[in-house]
C-alpha cells in the first residue's frame, strides 16, 4: 500500500523531470484540444460535404448531356421540319437536332427488344443558351403550333442541380481552408500564452545550454499531441452526424443506402495526424521566432 | 581561457533603443585554469560581466573569446554547445520551481543527453557534497534560501564544467558553509576548471587570496 504510493510518487517525479518547462500545466489539456475538436468536427463536415457534392455532381452531369428533349406524337411525325424551324427561330435555343431513328432504336433496345414495327415518337434534342432560362414559354409555343408535342425539360433541372453541387463543393473547400487557418491561429495563440507563462524556465534552460530545437521541440511535441487528441475526439463525434447525413443523401446520388461504407473514412482517419502536424509545425515556428530574442 | 577586447554592453531601453553603457571598454584576459575574484559595489556591473561570460548576453561592441571560441552573433548555433561547458551559479539561483532538488541538479546532465542510469551517482554525490542528502525530493519552495543556493551550486558543478561562473554564491550561506563552498571551488580549480566568482565579501577574498578584477560604474579599475 505504502509501496504503491511511493511508486506513484516516483512515476510522477519522473514525468515531471521529463517536462522541465512545466508544459503539462502551461499548455492545458482542456482548452486547446477542445477547440481543435470543434474545428476537426467542422473540417469533417466540410470534407464530407465536398465529397458528397462531388458524387452528386458526377451523377447529375451524366444525365445532363441532353438538356431538353422534344417528342412529337407518331401522327405528327411529318411535322418534324416545322418543329425544327420553330425551335431554331427562338432566341433561347442554342442548338436543335432531330434524334435519328436508328439511335432511338439503339437507346430503346434494352427496354423494348427488336420491335421495329412499334410506332416510335419522333424525338429531337435541343440545348438552351443557358440553364437558367425558363423552358415554359418554349413549351407553350410548341404545343400551340403542333398539338401533342411535349417538351421534356428534366435535363435543365439536372444541370441546375449540378451547378448547385459545384458551388456547394466550392463553399465546403473554402470552409476547410478557413478552418485550417483558424486552427493555425489558435495554436499560435496557445503557444504564445505558453511561452509567456514559461518565460523564466525557458531562459534558464537556454542559459544552461538547451538548443533552440530542444526548446521548440518540447513545445511542438506537446502541442502536436494535444491537437491530434482533439482532432481524434472531433472526428469521433463527426461519425454519427455524417452517417445520418449520408443516409439522407444516398438516394440522391443514386447509390444504395449504405451509410457506413459511404462515410469518408480516409479523410476522418487523416484528421488527427494532419491536425497534429499543423500543431507541431505552428508551435515550432512560433517558438523559434520567440527564441530569436535570446542570444 | 577568456579574452575580452574593448568590450562594451548596453541593455535595451524600454523605448526600443539602447540604454546607457552598463559595461564599457573592458579589456582583460583570464588564463586557463585561473581563479579570479570579481569585485565592485552594487550596480558596478559584476552580474552584467558574468552574463557575457556565460553567454546569456552578447557584447554590444568589442570582441569576446570564451573557452577559446570567439563569440559571434552570426554564429549563434555554436553557443548552446559552448554554454554546456560552462557552469553557472546565478545570483538569484534560478531553480525550476516544479522540479525536485534532484531534478534541478540533474537538469544540465539531461540537457547534455546523459542517460538516466549514469547521471544518478553524479547527482547524488553532488547533493551530498553540498550537504543536501535526504532532501533530494524536496521542491525549492520547501527549502531555505541557503539550501536553494546550494542546489544552484550543485547544478553548476555537476557537469564538471571547463569554466565555472558564480554570482554572489555565498550571499545566503553562513561563514562555515561559505568556506566549505570556497574549498569546493578551489578544488575544482586545481583540477583545471577556470573559476570566476563575483562577491561583496572582502573577508572571503582575504581568506582565499587570488587575482581580482574590480569594476566601478561599468569600467575596469583594477586587474591583478
Ligand atoms: N536586464 C537589464 N536591463 C537593463 N539594465 C540592466 C539590466 N541588468 C542590469 N542592468 C543595469 O546594469 C547596471 C549593472 O548591473 P549589474 O546587475 O551588472 O550590477 P552588479 O554589480 O551585479 O550589482 P549587485 O552587486 O547589486 O548584484 C545597473 O545599472 C543596472 O541597472
Ligand atoms: Mg549582481
Amino acid at each position: 500500500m505504502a509501496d504503491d504510493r511511493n511508486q506513484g510518487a516516483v512515476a510522477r517525479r519522473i514525468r515531471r523531470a521529463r517536462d522541465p518547462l512545466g508544459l503539462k500545466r502551461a499548455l492545458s489539456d482542456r482548452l486547446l484540444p477542445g477547440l481543435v475538436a470543434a474545428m476537426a468536427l467542422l473540417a469533417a463536415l466540410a470534407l464530407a460535404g465536398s465529397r458528397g457534392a462531388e458524387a452528386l455532381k458526377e451523377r447529375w452531369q451524366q444525365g445532363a448531356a441532353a438538356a431538353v428533349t422534344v417528342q412529337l406524337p407518331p401522327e405528327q411525325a411529318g411535322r418534324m421540319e416545322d418543329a425544327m424551324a420553330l425551335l431554331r427561330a427562338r432566341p433561347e435555343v442554342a442548338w436543335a437536332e432531330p434524334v435519328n431513328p436508328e439511335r432511338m432504336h439503339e437507346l430503346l433496345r434494352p427496354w423494348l427488344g427488336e420491335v421495329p414495327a412499334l410506332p416510335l415518337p419522333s424525338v429531337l434534342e435541343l440545348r438552351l443558351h443557358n440553364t437558367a432560362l425558363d423552358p415554359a414559354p418554349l413549351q407553350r409555343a410548341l404545343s400551340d403550333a403542333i398539338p401533342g408535342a411535349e417538351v421534356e425539360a428534366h435535363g435543365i433541372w439536372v444541370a441546375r442541380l449540378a451547378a448547385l453541387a459545384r458551388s456547394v463543393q466550392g463553399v465546403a473547400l473554402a470552409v476547410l481552408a478557413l478552418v485550417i487557418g483558424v486552427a493555425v491561429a489558435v495554436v499560435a495563440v496557445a503557444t504564445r500564452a505558453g511561452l509567456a507563462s514559461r518565460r523564466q524556465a525557458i531562459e534558464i534552460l537556454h542559459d544552461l545550454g538547451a538548443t533552440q530545437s530542444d526548446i521548440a521541440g518540447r513545445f511542438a511535441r506537446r502541442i502536436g499531441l494535444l491537437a491530434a487528441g482533439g482532432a481524434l475526439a472531433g472526428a469521433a463525434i463527426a461519425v454519427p452526424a455524417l452517417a445520418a447525413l449520408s443516409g439522407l443523401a444516398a438516394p440522391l446520388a443514386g447509390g444504395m443506402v449504405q451509410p457506413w461504407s459511404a462515410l469518408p473514412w480516409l479523410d476522418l482517419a487523416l484528421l488527427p495526424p494532419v491536425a497534429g502536424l499543423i500543431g507541431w509545425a505552428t508551435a515550432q515556428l512560433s517558438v523559434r521566432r520567440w527564441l530569436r530574442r535570446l542570444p | 581561457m577568456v579574452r575580452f577586447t574593448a568590450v562594451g554592453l548596453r541593455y535595451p531601453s524600454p523605448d526600443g533603443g539602447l540604454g546607457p553603457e552598463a559595461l564599457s571598454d573592458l579589456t582583460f584576459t583570464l588564463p586557463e585554469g585561473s581563479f579570479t575574484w570579481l569585485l565592485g559595489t552594487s550596480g558596478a556591473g559584476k552580474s552584467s560581466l558574468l552574463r557575457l561570460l556565460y553567454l546569456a548576453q552578447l557584447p554590444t561592441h568589442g570582441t569576446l573569446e570564451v573557452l577559446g571560441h570567439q563569440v559571434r552573433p552570426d554564429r549563434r548555433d555554436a553557443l548552446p554547445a559552448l554554454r554546456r561547458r560552462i557552469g553557472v551559479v546565478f545570483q538569484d539561483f534560478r531553480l525550476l520551481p516544479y522540479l525536485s532538488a534532484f531534478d534541478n541538479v540533474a537538469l544540465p546532465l539531461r540537457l547534455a543527453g546523459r542517460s538516466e542510469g549514469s547521471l544518478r551517482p553524479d547527482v547524488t554525490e553532488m547533493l551530498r557534497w553540498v550537504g543536501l542528502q535526504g532532501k533530494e525530493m524536496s521542491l525549492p519552495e520547501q527549502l531555505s534560501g541557503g539550501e536553494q543556493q546550494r542546489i544552484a551550486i550543485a547544478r553548476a558543478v555537476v557537469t564538471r564544467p571547463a569554466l565555472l561562473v558564480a554570482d554572489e554564491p555565498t550571499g545566503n550561506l553562513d561563514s562555515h558553509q561559505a568556506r566549505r563552498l570556497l574549498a569546493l571551488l578551489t578544488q575544482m580549480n586545481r583540477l583545471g576548471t577556470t573559476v570566476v566568482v563575483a562577491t561583496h565579501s572582502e573577508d572571503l577574498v582575504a581568506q582565499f587570496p587570488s587575482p581580482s578584477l574590480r569594476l566601478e560604474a561599468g569600467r575596469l579599475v583594477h586587474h591583478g
Side-chain angles (χ1 to χ4, degrees):
Chain A
M1 183 69 191
D3 220 43
D4 274 7
R5 238 193 340 264
N6 208 16
Q7 275 185 1
V10 168
R12 206 157 44 242
R13 201 183 61 69
I14 290 174
R15 273 202 304 280
R16 282 223 187 116
R18 295 220 178 99
D19 182 25
L21 290 173
L23 295 182
K24 295 236 157 77
R25 287 244 216 103
L27 302 169
S28 123
D29 51 5
R30 301 262 164 77
L31 187 60
L32 185 64
L35 289 173
V36 174
M39 286 183 291
L41 177 59
L42 288 178
L45 294 177
L47 276 168
S50 157
R51 298 262 185 249
E54 169 88 27
L56 296 182
K57 189 181 78 186
E58 251 156 37
R59 157 103 184 140
W60 288 337
Q61 262 167 358
Q62 288 166 5
V68 181
T69 52
V70 172
Q71 287 183 29
L72 305 184
E75 63 273 16
Q76 300 278 16
R79 301 199 55 197
M80 194 67 156
E81 290 302 319
D82 297 345
M84 290 292 297
L86 184 143
L87 289 171
R88 283 178 174 157
R90 294 200 55 99
E92 65 265 48
V93 174
W95 173 93
E97 283 298 329
V99 178
N100 77 39
E102 274 98 75
R103 201 174 140 231
M104 281 284 291
H105 282 290
E106 279 301 308
L107 290 173
L108 293 176
R109 187 178 302 133
W111 284 275
L112 304 179
E114 295 291 349
V115 274
L118 204 71
L120 289 178
S122 307
V123 176
L124 53 89
E125 285 178 351
L126 60 89
R127 282 177 200 282
L128 302 185
H129 280 294
N130 74 62
T131 54
L133 293 169
D134 184 2
L138 180 79
Q139 189 159 10
R140 271 196 304 277
L142 194 65
S143 49
D144 284 353
I146 306 169
E150 277 175 27
V151 173
E152 173 57 66
H154 159 84
I156 287 189
W157 295 106
V158 168
R160 285 178 188 170
L161 285 172
L164 180 65
R166 263 196 307 280
S167 29
V168 165
Q169 191 180 23
V171 169
L173 292 177
V175 166
L176 193 64
L178 199 67
V179 164
I180 290 173
V182 172
V184 167
V186 163
V187 168
V189 167
T191 307
R192 225 164 300 156
L195 284 166
S197 76
R198 287 299 180 255
R199 190 195 167 106
Q200 282 187 327
I202 293 169
E203 284 174 358
I204 293 169
L205 255 68
H206 170 267
D207 287 354
L208 293 179
T211 57
Q212 279 205 4
S213 30
D214 184 357
I215 295 171
R218 286 173 195 275
F219 270 87
R221 274 194 298 279
R222 173 86 183 142
I223 287 190
L225 223 72
L226 291 179
L232 189 64
I237 298 169
V239 167
L242 292 182
L245 281 180
S246 86
L248 291 175
L252 293 178
M256 273 181 277
V257 188
Q258 291 172 320
W260 296 108
S261 65
L263 287 193
W265 287 113
L266 182 64
D267 293 343
L268 287 173
L270 281 175
L271 276 177
V274 168
L277 204 65
I278 289 175
W280 183 88
T282 308
Q284 280 275 354
L285 285 177
S286 317
V287 176
R288 281 169 190 270
R289 253 181 70 163
W290 190 89
L291 284 174
R292 269 194 249 146
R293 72 186 64 191
L294 302 179
Chain B
M1 129 105 122
V2 172
R3 191 196 303 276
F4 278 56
T5 312
V7 167
L9 174 65
R10 300 168 73 174
Y11 287 105
S13 68
D15 62 22
L18 285 177
E21 287 212 307
L23 297 171
S24 20
D25 199 26
L26 297 181
T27 301
F28 62 86
T29 305
L30 305 178
E32 195 174 322
S34 59
F35 187 111
T36 309
W37 293 110
L38 178 58
L39 308 171
T41 53
S42 180
K46 301 182 295 298
S47 296
S48 302
L49 192 156
L50 295 185
R51 283 172 62 78
L52 289 173
L53 263 186
Y54 59 77
L55 310 175
Q57 198 82 51
L58 299 181
T60 318
H61 38 256
T63 55
L64 173 57
E65 204 181 291
V66 175
L67 294 173
H69 287 257
Q70 189 162 342
V71 177
R72 290 171 42 178
D74 57 338
R75 296 290 311 277
R76 286 159 60 164
D77 289 355
L79 297 183
L82 211 49
R83 285 189 193 105
R84 288 199 289 271
R85 296 173 57 203
I86 304 172
V88 192
V89 184
F90 301 97
Q91 187 168 15
D92 51 357
F93 317 151
R94 304 181 72 192
L95 302 176
L96 292 171
Y98 30 77
L99 293 189
S100 67
F102 183 96
D103 290 324
N104 264 292
V105 175
L107 185 57
L109 296 175
R110 290 189 169 123
L111 286 179
R114 280 274 294 273
S115 74
E116 288 299 309
S118 79
L119 60 79
R120 181 159 294 277
D122 286 5
V123 174
T124 313
E125 155 84 7
M126 239 18 271
L127 283 169
R128 203 168 50 77
W129 222 100
V130 296
L132 287 176
Q133 64 272 39
K135 304 252 181 184
E136 287 90 347
M137 295 309 143
S138 305
L139 294 175
E141 64 185 15
Q142 299 166 329
L143 297 170
S144 76
E147 287 170 330
Q148 292 182 28
Q149 187 148 37
R150 283 182 275 156
I151 295 175
I153 292 160
R155 183 179 66 185
V157 298
V158 73
T159 54
R160 308 187 192 288
L163 171 64
L164 181 62
V165 175
D167 199 349
E168 297 285 355
T170 60
N172 290 274
L173 302 184
D174 60 40
S175 61
H176 167 71
Q177 285 192 332
R179 265 196 314 270
R180 225 176 111 77
L181 166 65
L182 257 298
L184 167 68
L185 297 185
T186 47
Q187 188 186 337
M188 290 192 59
N189 178 239
R190 269 198 293 280
L191 293 172
T193 300
T194 307
V195 180
V196 183
V197 184
T199 186
H200 286 128
S201 167
E202 304 286 348
D203 279 2
L204 212 58
V205 179
Q207 283 176 42
F208 295 84
S210 274
S212 63
L213 293 167
R214 186 179 290 277
L215 289 176
E216 253 171 46
R219 293 183 176 274
L220 193 60
V221 293
H222 170 82
H223 182 201

